[in-house]
Coordinates of all heavy atoms in Angstrom, one line a residue:
L368 N 20.4 -52.6 -44.9 CA 20.7 -52.0 -46.2 C 20.0 -50.6 -46.3 O 20.3 -49.9 -47.3 CB 20.2 -52.9 -47.3 CG 21.0 -54.2 -47.4 CD1 20.4 -55.1 -48.5 CD2 22.5 -53.9 -47.7
Q369 N 19.1 -50.3 -45.4 CA 18.4 -49.0 -45.4 C 19.2 -47.9 -44.7 O 18.9 -46.7 -44.8 CB 17.1 -49.0 -44.7 CG 16.0 -49.8 -45.5 CD 14.7 -49.8 -44.8 OE1 14.5 -50.2 -43.7 NE2 13.7 -49.3 -45.5
V370 N 20.3 -48.2 -44.0 CA 21.1 -47.2 -43.3 C 21.6 -46.1 -44.2 O 21.5 -44.9 -43.9 CB 22.2 -47.9 -42.5 CG1 23.2 -46.8 -41.9 CG2 21.7 -48.8 -41.4
P371 N 22.2 -46.4 -45.4 CA 22.7 -45.3 -46.2 C 21.5 -44.4 -46.7 O 21.7 -43.2 -46.8 CB 23.3 -46.0 -47.4 CG 23.7 -47.4 -46.9 CD 22.6 -47.7 -45.9
L372 N 20.3 -45.0 -46.9 CA 19.2 -44.2 -47.3 C 18.8 -43.2 -46.1 O 18.6 -42.0 -46.4 CB 18.0 -45.1 -47.6 CG 16.7 -44.4 -47.8 CD1 16.7 -43.4 -49.0 CD2 15.6 -45.4 -48.1
M373 N 18.7 -43.7 -44.9 CA 18.4 -42.9 -43.8 C 19.4 -41.8 -43.5 O 19.0 -40.6 -43.2 CB 18.2 -43.8 -42.5 CG 17.1 -44.8 -42.6 SD 15.5 -43.9 -42.9 CE 14.4 -45.3 -43.1
V374 N 20.7 -42.1 -43.7 CA 21.7 -41.1 -43.5 C 21.6 -40.0 -44.6 O 21.8 -38.8 -44.3 CB 23.1 -41.8 -43.5 CG1 24.2 -40.7 -43.5 CG2 23.2 -42.7 -42.3
G375 N 21.3 -40.5 -45.8 CA 21.1 -39.5 -46.9 C 19.9 -38.6 -46.6 O 20.0 -37.4 -46.9
L376 N 18.8 -39.2 -46.1 CA 17.6 -38.3 -45.8 C 17.9 -37.3 -44.7 O 17.5 -36.1 -44.9 CB 16.5 -39.3 -45.3 CG 15.9 -40.1 -46.4 CD1 14.9 -41.2 -45.7 CD2 15.1 -39.3 -47.4
I377 N 18.6 -37.6 -43.7 CA 18.9 -36.6 -42.7 C 19.9 -35.6 -43.2 O 19.9 -34.4 -42.9 CB 19.4 -37.3 -41.3 CG1 19.3 -36.2 -40.2 CG2 20.8 -37.8 -41.5 CD1 19.6 -36.8 -38.8
G378 N 20.8 -36.1 -44.1 CA 21.7 -35.1 -44.7 C 21.0 -34.1 -45.6 O 21.4 -32.9 -45.6
M379 N 20.0 -34.6 -46.3 CA 19.2 -33.7 -47.1 C 18.4 -32.7 -46.3 O 18.3 -31.5 -46.6 CB 18.3 -34.5 -48.0 CG 19.0 -35.3 -49.1 SD 17.8 -36.4 -50.0 CE 16.8 -35.2 -50.8
G380 N 18.0 -33.1 -45.1 CA 17.3 -32.2 -44.2 C 18.2 -31.1 -43.7 O 17.8 -30.0 -43.6
T381 N 19.5 -31.5 -43.3 CA 20.4 -30.5 -42.9 C 20.8 -29.5 -44.0 O 21.0 -28.3 -43.8 CB 21.7 -31.2 -42.3 OG1 22.4 -31.9 -43.4 CG2 21.4 -32.1 -41.2
L382 N 20.9 -30.1 -45.2 CA 21.2 -29.2 -46.4 C 20.1 -28.2 -46.6 O 20.4 -27.0 -46.8 CB 21.4 -30.0 -47.6 CG 21.6 -29.3 -49.0 CD1 22.9 -28.4 -48.8 CD2 21.7 -30.2 -50.1
L383 N 18.9 -28.6 -46.5 CA 17.7 -27.7 -46.7 C 17.7 -26.6 -45.6 O 17.5 -25.5 -45.8 CB 16.4 -28.5 -46.7 CG 15.1 -27.6 -46.8 CD1 15.1 -26.9 -48.1 CD2 13.9 -28.5 -46.6
A384 N 18.1 -27.1 -44.4 CA 18.1 -26.1 -43.2 C 19.2 -25.1 -43.5 O 19.0 -23.9 -43.2 CB 18.4 -26.9 -41.9
C385 N 20.3 -25.5 -44.0 CA 21.4 -24.6 -44.3 C 21.0 -23.6 -45.4 O 21.4 -22.4 -45.3 CB 22.7 -25.3 -44.7 SG 23.5 -26.2 -43.3
L386 N 20.3 -24.0 -46.4 CA 19.9 -23.1 -47.4 C 18.9 -22.1 -46.9 O 19.0 -20.9 -47.2 CB 19.2 -23.9 -48.6 CG 20.2 -24.7 -49.5 CD1 19.4 -25.6 -50.4 CD2 21.1 -23.8 -50.2
I387 N 17.9 -22.6 -46.1 CA 17.0 -21.7 -45.5 C 17.7 -20.7 -44.6 O 17.4 -19.5 -44.6 CB 15.9 -22.4 -44.7 CG1 15.0 -23.2 -45.7 CG2 15.0 -21.5 -43.9 CD1 14.0 -24.2 -45.1
A388 N 18.6 -21.2 -43.8 CA 19.4 -20.3 -42.9 C 20.2 -19.2 -43.7 O 20.3 -18.1 -43.3 CB 20.4 -21.1 -42.1
F389 N 20.7 -19.6 -44.9 CA 21.5 -18.6 -45.7 C 20.6 -17.5 -46.1 O 20.9 -16.3 -46.0 CB 22.1 -19.3 -46.8 CG 22.9 -18.4 -47.8 CD1 24.1 -17.9 -47.4 CD2 22.3 -18.1 -49.0 CE1 24.8 -17.0 -48.2 CE2 23.0 -17.2 -49.8 CZ 24.2 -16.7 -49.5
F390 N 19.4 -17.8 -46.7 CA 18.5 -16.8 -47.2 C 17.9 -16.0 -46.1 O 17.7 -14.8 -46.2 CB 17.5 -17.4 -48.2 CG 18.1 -17.9 -49.5 CD1 18.2 -19.2 -49.7 CD2 18.5 -17.0 -50.4 CE1 18.7 -19.7 -50.9 CE2 19.0 -17.4 -51.6 CZ 19.1 -18.8 -51.9
Y391 N 17.6 -16.7 -45.0 CA 17.1 -16.0 -43.8 C 18.1 -15.0 -43.3 O 17.7 -13.8 -43.0 CB 16.7 -16.9 -42.7 CG 16.6 -16.3 -41.4 CD1 15.6 -15.5 -41.0 CD2 17.7 -16.5 -40.4 CE1 15.5 -14.9 -39.7 CE2 17.6 -15.9 -39.2 CZ 16.6 -15.1 -38.9 OH 16.5 -14.5 -37.6
S392 N 19.4 -15.4 -43.3 CA 20.4 -14.5 -42.8 C 20.6 -13.3 -43.7 O 20.8 -12.2 -43.2 CB 21.7 -15.3 -42.7 OG 21.6 -16.3 -41.8
L393 N 20.5 -13.5 -45.0 CA 20.6 -12.3 -45.9 C 19.5 -11.3 -45.6 O 19.8 -10.1 -45.7 CB 20.5 -12.8 -47.4 CG 21.7 -13.6 -47.9 CD1 21.4 -14.0 -49.4 CD2 23.0 -12.9 -47.8
Y394 N 18.4 -11.8 -45.3 CA 17.2 -10.9 -45.0 C 17.4 -10.3 -43.6 O 17.2 -9.1 -43.4 CB 15.9 -11.6 -45.1 CG 14.7 -10.8 -44.8 CD1 14.2 -9.9 -45.6 CD2 14.1 -11.0 -43.5 CE1 13.1 -9.1 -45.3 CE2 13.0 -10.2 -43.2 CZ 12.5 -9.3 -44.1 OH 11.4 -8.5 -43.7
S395 N 17.6 -11.1 -42.6 CA 17.6 -10.6 -41.2 C 18.8 -9.7 -41.0 O 18.6 -8.7 -40.1 CB 17.7 -11.8 -40.3 OG 18.9 -12.5 -40.4
L396 N 19.9 -9.8 -41.6 CA 21.0 -8.9 -41.4 C 20.8 -7.5 -41.9 O 21.5 -6.6 -41.5 CB 22.3 -9.5 -42.0 CG 22.9 -10.7 -41.4 CD1 24.0 -11.3 -42.2 CD2 23.3 -10.4 -39.9
R397 N 19.8 -7.4 -42.7 CA 19.3 -6.0 -43.1 C 18.5 -5.4 -42.1 O 18.3 -4.2 -42.1 CB 18.6 -6.1 -44.5 CG 19.4 -6.7 -45.6 CD 18.6 -6.8 -46.9 NE 18.1 -5.5 -47.3 CZ 17.3 -5.4 -48.4 NH1 16.8 -6.4 -49.0 NH2 16.9 -4.2 -48.7
L398 N 17.9 -6.2 -41.2 CA 17.0 -5.7 -40.1 C 17.7 -5.5 -38.8 O 17.4 -4.5 -38.1 CB 15.8 -6.6 -39.9 CG 15.0 -6.9 -41.1 CD1 13.9 -7.9 -40.7 CD2 14.3 -5.7 -41.7
Q399 N 18.7 -6.4 -38.5 CA 19.4 -6.3 -37.3 C 20.9 -6.5 -37.5 O 21.3 -7.3 -38.3 CB 19.0 -7.5 -36.4 CG 17.7 -7.3 -35.5 CD 17.5 -8.4 -34.6 OE1 17.8 -9.6 -34.9 NE2 16.9 -8.1 -33.5
A400 N 21.7 -5.7 -36.8 CA 23.1 -5.8 -36.9 C 23.5 -7.1 -36.1 O 23.0 -7.3 -35.0 CB 23.8 -4.6 -36.3
P401 N 24.4 -7.9 -36.6 CA 24.8 -9.1 -35.9 C 25.7 -8.8 -34.7 O 26.3 -7.8 -34.7 CB 25.6 -9.9 -37.0 CG 26.2 -8.8 -37.9 CD 25.2 -7.7 -37.9
N402 N 25.7 -9.8 -33.8 CA 26.7 -9.7 -32.7 C 28.0 -10.1 -33.3 O 28.1 -10.9 -34.2 CB 26.3 -10.6 -31.6 CG 24.9 -10.3 -31.0 OD1 24.6 -9.1 -30.9 ND2 24.2 -11.3 -30.6
P403 N 29.1 -9.6 -32.7 CA 30.4 -10.0 -33.2 C 30.7 -11.5 -32.8 O 30.1 -12.1 -31.9 CB 31.4 -9.1 -32.4 CG 30.6 -8.7 -31.2 CD 29.2 -8.6 -31.6
A404 N 31.4 -12.2 -33.7 CA 31.7 -13.6 -33.4 C 32.5 -13.7 -32.1 O 33.5 -13.1 -31.9 CB 32.6 -14.1 -34.6
P405 N 32.0 -14.5 -31.2 CA 32.6 -14.6 -29.9 C 33.9 -15.3 -29.9 O 34.1 -16.2 -30.8 CB 31.6 -15.3 -29.0 CG 30.9 -16.2 -30.0 CD 30.8 -15.4 -31.3
P406 N 34.9 -14.9 -29.1 CA 36.1 -15.7 -29.0 C 35.9 -17.1 -28.5 O 34.9 -17.3 -27.7 CB 37.0 -14.9 -28.1 CG 36.0 -14.1 -27.2 CD 34.8 -13.9 -28.1
L407 N 36.7 -18.0 -28.8 CA 36.6 -19.4 -28.3 C 36.8 -19.4 -26.8 O 37.7 -18.7 -26.3 CB 37.6 -20.3 -29.0 CG 37.4 -20.5 -30.5 CD1 38.5 -21.5 -31.1 CD2 36.0 -21.1 -30.8
P408 N 36.0 -20.2 -26.1 CA 36.2 -20.3 -24.6 C 37.6 -21.0 -24.3 O 38.1 -21.7 -25.2 CB 35.1 -21.2 -24.2 CG 34.6 -21.9 -25.4 CD 34.9 -21.0 -26.6
R409 N 38.1 -20.7 -23.2 CA 39.3 -21.3 -22.7 C 39.1 -22.8 -22.6 O 38.3 -23.3 -21.8 CB 39.8 -20.7 -21.4 CG 41.1 -21.2 -20.9 CD 41.6 -20.4 -19.7 NE 42.8 -20.9 -19.1 CZ 42.8 -21.8 -18.1 NH1 41.6 -22.2 -17.6 NH2 43.9 -22.2 -17.6
P410 N 39.9 -23.6 -23.3 CA 39.7 -25.1 -23.3 C 40.3 -25.8 -22.1 O 41.3 -26.5 -22.2 CB 40.4 -25.6 -24.6 CG 41.5 -24.6 -24.8 CD 41.0 -23.3 -24.3
S411 N 39.8 -25.5 -20.9 CA 40.3 -26.1 -19.7 C 39.9 -27.5 -19.6 O 38.9 -28.0 -20.2 CB 39.8 -25.3 -18.5 OG 38.4 -25.4 -18.3
F412 N 40.6 -28.3 -18.8 CA 40.3 -29.7 -18.6 C 38.9 -29.9 -18.0 O 38.1 -30.7 -18.4 CB 41.3 -30.3 -17.6 CG 41.0 -31.7 -17.2 CD1 41.3 -32.8 -18.0 CD2 40.3 -32.0 -16.0 CE1 41.0 -34.1 -17.6 CE2 40.0 -33.2 -15.6 CZ 40.3 -34.3 -16.4

Side-chain angles (χ1 to χ4, degrees):
L368 293 179
Q369 289 183 302
V370 171
L372 171 62
M373 295 300 173
V374 174
L376 288 170
I377 195 171
M379 292 173 67
T381 62
L382 175 60
L383 178 61
C385 288
L386 287 173
I387 292 174
F389 177 75
F390 289 109
Y391 159 75
S392 298
L393 291 179
Y394 176 78
S395 65
L396 289 173
R397 300 177 61 184
L398 303 178
Q399 274 186 331
N402 298 327
L407 294 179
R409 182 171 174 265
S411 65
F412 172 84

